[in-house]
Amino acid sequence: MSIHEYGWSDYWNGLWDQWKQNYEERAGNTQIRPARLIADYGQKVKLITMDGERWGAASGKLRHAIVDPAEMPAVGDWVAITTSDEVSDAVIHALLPRKSQISRQAAGFETKEQLIATNVDTLFLVNALNHDFNMRRLERYLIMAWNSGVNPVVVLSKSDLCEDVEQRVAEAEGVAPGVPVIVISALQNEGREQLEAFLEPGCTVALTGSSGSGKSTIVNWLSGAEVQLTQDVREEDSRGRHTTTHRQLFPIAKQAVLLDTPGMRELNLWDDSTGVAHTFADIMETAQQCRFADCKHKGEAGCAVKEAIQRGELSESRVNNYRKMQRELEYQARKEADRRRKDSRSSTTPGRRDQRGGWRRDVEW
């Protein structure tokens, strides 16, 4: 296999030709070749090149130039590499501009972006139709998808375990208006054609969802081979264990690419551009009718949102989750602003001295 089976398209070919010319003029390196990062194992990554798979790692110069860890090469990235021979590890020198970037707030107290995947076209939001079914979690995933610049698709898996599928579909459509909702059962081979409609040539589709939702099973099902390990979930609470331990791309029929990601017990949102507006469009539209522009929808006089809840037009739990998302993102934004102010005052950032004796960084792309 080569990069053509891993999403290389006319778009990326045209971008590479233009980018390569500018890069060669700046760096003087005419030996670079395109590759895609298809798996990350920590110190080393696996790449797909024109000639097949090989191991690789970022150059020291690239690591030194990068300030934000989220700018490091990640699964899904198209990169520029050089190779000294047919067997040695490839050296990654730079990244092509990303088409999309899926991120979340990293676990822990530090405000830090955790990159999940890049250059994804469609994101399957997998939610199992068992005891782990959760619409509030789905709203979080929708916000992440819209913020990332990808097209979300809600995938309700394990329909063979659900006695009221139509009700679950209605609930999902209620929190994801305009987003495709697909019901599948890999065990009973149902819903496959609906999923395959999104697997167009050159398209990269990522799967995300909680542990035990069936992501790895879907990858195997669509690939027609056991490319991912799967494990059973606990019957008492439908919770699964982390089967997928790293992110990896898998080529499938029609030259599309699937990206499996480790399951997430908790999804803390990172940044917000349009995600909340897309996900809670019904609430925000109703809020425009409130008597006061700064209405917090907590019982103020003339609150159109409260009236809509009383009429049964809006779900109170959905409105509460909307307020919770807003508070979470506002808190994170304040923490990030504080961190940036501290960084700007710091004079110990490693780098290279300029002609005036100060420190600076050189990023070559």
Side-chain angles (χ1 to χ4, degrees), residues 97-127:
R98 290 167 173 166
K99 190 177 182 180
S100 63
Q101 179 171 316
I102 303 174
S103 301
R104 71 168 180 171
Q105 162 66 30
F109 296 102
E110 183 182 1
T111 301
K112 182 180 179 181
E113 179 180 8
Q114 181 182 9
L115 195 61
I116 297 175
T118 67
N119 298 320
V120 171
D121 300 292
T122 301
L123 184 62
F124 285 171
L125 310 179
V126 185
N127 202 321

Side-chain angles (χ1 to χ4, degrees), residues 1-9 36 38 48-53 78 200-204 249-258:
M1 288 191 175
S2 71
I3 60 175
H4 295 287
E5 285 76 42
Y6 278 85
W8 188 255
S9 61
R36 192 173 199 186
I38 61 174
I48 187 71
T49 72
M50 288 289 190
D51 305 317
E53 293 183 3
W78 291 100
E200 299 178 352
C203 180
T204 298
L249 287 170
F250 298 96
I252 56 175
K254 298 194 294 184
Q255 296 184 357
V257 185
L258 281 178

Side-chain angles (χ1 to χ4, degrees), residues 285-297 299-307:
E285 182 178 352
T286 302
Q288 294 178 1
Q289 304 171 25
C290 291
R291 181 183 302 174
F292 303 106
D294 60 348
C295 182
K296 301 298 182 182
H297 320 307
E300 295 93 336
C303 177
V305 173
K306 178 183 176 181
E307 294 172 359

Side-chain angles (χ1 to χ4, degrees), residues 30-201:
T30 60
Q31 303 301 315
I32 58 170
R33 297 187 296 153
R36 192 173 199 186
L37 201 158
I38 61 174
D40 189 347
Y41 296 94
Q43 294 298 319
K44 287 188 178 182
V45 299
K46 185 174 287 187
L47 303 166
I48 187 71
T49 72
M50 288 289 190
D51 305 317
E53 293 183 3
R54 69 189 304 158
W55 293 100
S59 68
K61 184 177 181 181
L62 177 58
R63 291 180 179 274
H64 177 75
I66 289 177
V67 179
D68 188 344
E71 296 176 356
M72 283 293 293
V75 175
D77 272 328
W78 291 100
V79 297
I81 65 168
T82 56
T83 53
S84 57
D85 53 53
E86 294 183 358
V87 295
S88 299
D89 291 349
V91 179
I92 301 174
H93 295 277
L95 286 70
L96 270 69
R98 290 167 173 166
K99 190 177 182 180
S100 63
Q101 179 171 316
I102 303 174
S103 301
R104 71 168 180 171
Q105 162 66 30
F109 296 102
E110 183 182 1
T111 301
K112 182 180 179 181
E113 179 180 8
Q114 181 182 9
L115 195 61
I116 297 175
T118 67
N119 298 320
V120 171
D121 300 292
T122 301
L123 184 62
F124 285 171
L125 310 179
V126 185
N127 202 321
L129 290 172
N130 53 22
H131 298 303
D132 200 38
F133 184 76
N134 189 314
M135 288 297 93
R136 303 290 78 81
R137 184 194 300 132
L138 177 57
E139 288 169 342
R140 283 180 173 268
Y141 282 114
L142 283 166
I143 293 173
M144 180 182 71
W146 291 124
N147 285 338
S148 304
V150 301
N151 297 314
V153 175
V154 177
V155 179
L156 303 181
S157 62
K158 304 184 180 182
S159 62
D160 50 287
L161 301 179
C162 181
E163 297 180 354
D164 194 355
V165 174
E166 292 185 1
Q167 174 62 29
R168 296 304 193 191
V169 170
E171 292 178 33
E173 291 176 340
V175 302
V179 176
V181 177
I182 299 175
V183 177
I184 68 167
S185 171
L187 181 64
Q188 297 181 346
N189 198 34
E190 296 177 354
R192 179 167 181 159
E193 291 183 0
Q194 289 92 323
L195 290 184
E196 289 181 336
F198 295 94
L199 307 180
E200 299 178 352

Side-chain angles (χ1 to χ4, degrees), residues 343 345-351 359 361:
D343 289 345
R345 292 195 298 265
S346 175
S347 59
T348 59
T349 304
W359 292 98
R361 289 183 176 273

Side-chain angles (χ1 to χ4, degrees), residues 214-272:
K215 299 185 301 300
S216 297
T217 298
I218 294 173
V219 172
N220 292 338
W221 186 38
L222 294 176
S223 300
E226 296 295 317
V227 296
Q228 283 288 69
L229 292 175
T230 59
Q231 298 186 71
D232 293 332
V233 300
R234 296 196 302 262
E235 292 185 5
E236 62 270 19
D237 60 4
S238 300
R239 291 298 184 94
R241 290 173 289 175
H242 292 293
T243 304
T244 302
T245 57
H246 62 277
R247 298 165 183 84
Q248 184 170 351
L249 287 170
F250 298 96
I252 56 175
K254 298 194 294 184
Q255 296 184 357
V257 185
L258 281 178
L259 195 161
D260 196 7
T261 64
M264 289 183 277
R265 286 285 185 219
E266 182 179 2
L267 174 59
N268 294 316
L269 300 173
W270 174 261
D271 197 11
D272 176 56

Side-chain angles (χ1 to χ4, degrees), residues 12-25:
W12 291 110
N13 189 61
L15 181 63
W16 169 260
D17 289 341
Q18 180 181 2
W19 181 90
K20 180 174 181 286
Q21 181 178 357
N22 294 332
Y23 176 84
E24 289 177 345
E25 292 176 355

